[in-house]
Each structure stands twice: as structure tokens, then as C-alpha cells.
Amino acid sequence: MGRPPQHDIDSLLDTAARLVIDAGPRSVTMSAVARAAGAPSGSVYHRFPSRPALLAALWLRALDRFHAGFLHTFGDEPPLDIARAAARQVVAWCRANPHDAAILLYNAADFEEAEWPAQAREHLRRGNRSVARAIRDLAAGMGCDSAADQELVRIAVVDVPYSVVRRYYRSGKRIPRYAEDLAEESAVALLRDRNGRLT
């Protein structure tokens, strides 16, 4: 049985993630990843045919990991309980996965989304549609189908928790466990008793 490759896809993406954390997405070049990983440039090009492909893989790996946990919270519980769990999950996941979270605090455009391979752009669209569908279903479960109500649910269970996370990242502080409580309480405050409908 042969040895696993020393510079596999995940190890190279881990190196790229550290570059993002240190100096932002623009610091991620093929040569910079090879140099930081102690790998031949050919090893990077063998796994990622271009810089846009590397950036896409880095972003999508983080996004897929986030979506796996986030969408798992959308079960059969009462809608407000789902919203509580989803808001908590955003913060809990970011605390447990700081490197991936640091990537997702940027936008896909910061990772040059427009230059990604077509398959990667479609992957991103599918992931975003899954979250949009889950949020739409959650709003519908609360008896609210308008675009404004769907937007409110997104703000409550995604945008506000991310703003909590972003504040800690920007200040260089670790995310405390009570931040999950704050995200949950904020979601409930936004969603409960909205004109007597979101309950």
C-alpha cells in the first residue's frame, strides 16, 4: 500500500486558508501556496489547474462544511425552535471552525467568483438555493410567505449571528460561548409576535 500524498488537496487548501487569515484572499496565489506548504509548484497545479480553481475550491469547501451543519438544524421541530437552533449553529460552527469561518466572512466575489470554472459557480448556486429554500420553508411554516418575511427570517438566523461573529473576528477575540445565547435571543426577538404571525 502506497503512502498518501504529502501535499493532498485538503492540506493545500489548509495552507491557502492560513494565507487568507494572515493577509486576505489576494495573498492566495499558486506560488504562495506552494511556498507556504513546502510543496513543488507542480503539486499545486496538479490539483488545481488555475488560481480561480484554487480559490473556488477553498471557498466551496468552507461553504459546504457550513451548510452541512446549518441545514441539519432545519428539522421537524416548531418553526421558532428551528430558528433558535439555526441562529445558534451559525455562531457555534464559527467558533469551532475558525479558519473556515474567516473565509466565509468574506464574499465569494472576494475570491474572484466571476473567474471560477463553470462547475464551481453552479456548485455555489446549488448551495445557496438550498439555504434559500430552507429559509423560505421556515417562513412558510410560520405562516408567512411574503418576500419581506423571508428576508426577516434570513436576517434573524443568518445575518445577525454572522454580525456577532464578525465583531469578534475583527477585534481578534475568541468567540465566547454566550455569543450563541445572544444570537438565539436576537433571532427570537426579531421573529416572535411579528404582527401576531411569527410565533
Side-chain angles (χ1 to χ4, degrees):
M1 183 180 231
R3 293 189 314 173
Q6 183 179 2
H7 303 293
D8 62 12
I9 288 175
D10 274 325
S11 68
L12 292 173
L13 291 179
D14 290 343
T15 298
R18 288 191 291 272
L19 292 173
V20 171
I21 291 167
D22 291 341
R26 291 189 177 186
S27 69
V28 179
T29 64
M30 307 296 269
S31 59
V33 170
R35 189 167 51 251
S41 293
S43 292
V44 181
Y45 279 100
H46 177 68
R47 289 159 178 80
F48 308 102
S50 64
R51 181 171 180 265
L54 169 62
L55 292 172
L58 180 59
W59 173 269
L60 292 172
R61 183 181 71 158
L63 189 69
D64 287 347
R65 289 172 171 178
F66 170 73
H67 281 170
F70 182 72
L71 292 173
H72 186 71
T73 64
F74 287 75
D76 297 327
E77 293 78 12
L80 195 58
D81 289 346
I82 293 174
R84 290 175 189 269
R88 292 185 70 90
Q89 173 65 17
V90 171
V91 178
W93 184 88
C94 289
R95 190 179 63 249
N97 301 276
H99 287 188
D100 285 331
I103 289 167
L104 295 183
L105 287 173
Y106 288 95
N107 295 312
D110 296 317
F111 286 76
E112 301 180 17
E113 175 195 350
E115 305 301 320
W116 290 2
Q119 185 176 5
R121 293 199 306 274
E122 177 56 28
H123 185 138
L124 176 62
R125 284 191 290 269
R126 284 198 309 269
N128 288 339
R129 282 197 298 266
S130 295
V131 170
R133 184 165 52 249
I135 289 173
R136 185 172 61 248
D137 291 347
L138 178 57
M142 294 174 171
C144 302
D145 297 318
S146 74
D149 286 324
Q150 291 173 27
E151 185 68 13
L152 177 66
V153 172
R154 177 179 288 276
I155 288 169
V157 304
V158 177
D159 295 348
V160 170
Y162 256 129
S163 72
V164 172
V165 168
R166 185 176 290 107
R167 183 161 53 85
Y168 287 105
Y169 270 88
R170 294 290 186 258
S171 67
K173 297 178 181 178
R174 290 177 61 86
I175 303 172
R177 287 191 176 274
Y178 65 73
E180 291 176 40
D181 298 331
L182 297 178
E184 177 184 348
E185 291 164 12
S186 297
V188 170
L190 284 168
L191 296 176
R192 178 178 282 160
D193 198 30
R194 175 171 160 81
N195 297 324
R197 294 176 299 166
L198 298 184
T199 56

